Amino acid sequence: MDTATATLIPLAEVDPALVEALLDRAFGEDRHERTAYKVRKGTDWLPALSFAVIDESDFLVGSIQVWPVALTDDKGRRHPLLMVGPVAVVPDRQDQGFGRALMAAMNGAIDPQAALPQVLIGDPDYYSRFGFQGGPTQGWSLPGPFEAHRLLVRTENPGILPDHGTLGPWIG
């Protein structure tokens, strides 16, 4: 990302209609049918961890949202997690570093003293560079179809995560 011509700002400072238009452009207007939307249904994204990139023309180039979710284990215990995504960059501006900048901003905003595991559904080759891995999630289920190899998690200690459980919204 050319830091001289683009600016990272809190997502809360962006008109929600512009964010929706960006997400439609990046993922298609049918995106609401995806399993990730079911996982976080009924929750609001977390403003302190969600960002946008504005280019030199004040055009919304990309955004990242982070949501409170939980993994409910086989005994009914809920384990809080952060769901990363969507991470969106307009198609004609991809591969210019905006996604990396958004991931870095989100990662920098997470309190290292209270960091919850982060989960996402995405490309393992892309997200592995940020520390996301699929091994610990292979026994997890979601409220809709998904490709198991695309369910990724990042945590300092994967041993704290249940081997089995269902991922869903954190509604406290």
Side-chain angles (χ1 to χ4, degrees):
M1 182 174 90
D2 183 356
T3 56
T5 61
T7 305
L8 275 163
I9 63 171
L11 189 61
E13 294 180 13
V14 178
D15 180 342
L18 294 176
V19 175
E20 290 299 308
L22 165 69
L23 295 175
D24 284 348
R25 188 168 173 205
F27 298 112
E29 293 181 18
D30 63 342
R31 64 188 164 82
H32 293 279
E33 304 303 315
R34 295 182 179 197
T35 297
Y37 282 80
K38 294 174 184 171
V39 170
R40 55 187 190 248
K41 184 177 181 176
T43 64
D44 293 322
W45 50 270
L46 301 168
L49 301 176
S50 301
F51 297 90
V53 175
I54 307 298
D55 72 6
E56 64 280 356
S57 302
D58 287 333
F59 179 76
L60 178 62
V61 177
S63 69
I64 186 170
Q65 296 174 333
V66 179
W67 307 75
V69 297
L71 182 69
T72 303
D73 67 22
D74 295 338
K75 295 181 181 174
R77 292 179 299 216
R78 297 173 65 211
H79 303 263
L81 304 167
L82 298 172
M83 185 166 198
V84 178
V87 181
V89 176
V90 293
D92 59 327
R93 300 295 299 268
Q94 292 178 358
D95 297 321
Q96 295 180 14
F98 295 112
R100 288 187 301 276
L102 289 163
M103 290 293 293
M106 181 270 307
N107 189 49
I110 293 175
D111 180 353
Q113 300 300 315
L116 290 174
Q118 298 107 55
V119 63
L120 59 78
I121 301 171
D123 178 15
D125 290 335
Y126 181 80
Y127 288 104
S128 65
R129 71 183 79 181
F130 304 107
F132 285 87
Q133 58 179 317
T137 66
Q138 296 310 292
W140 298 4
S141 63
L142 278 70
F146 71 102
E147 298 173 56
H149 76 281
R150 293 176 57 86
L151 182 59
L152 310 173
V153 69
R154 176 174 67 181
T155 183
E156 289 290 320
N157 181 7
I160 66 167
L161 300 169
D163 291 331
H164 300 280
T166 302
L167 197 58
W170 179 269
I171 301 175

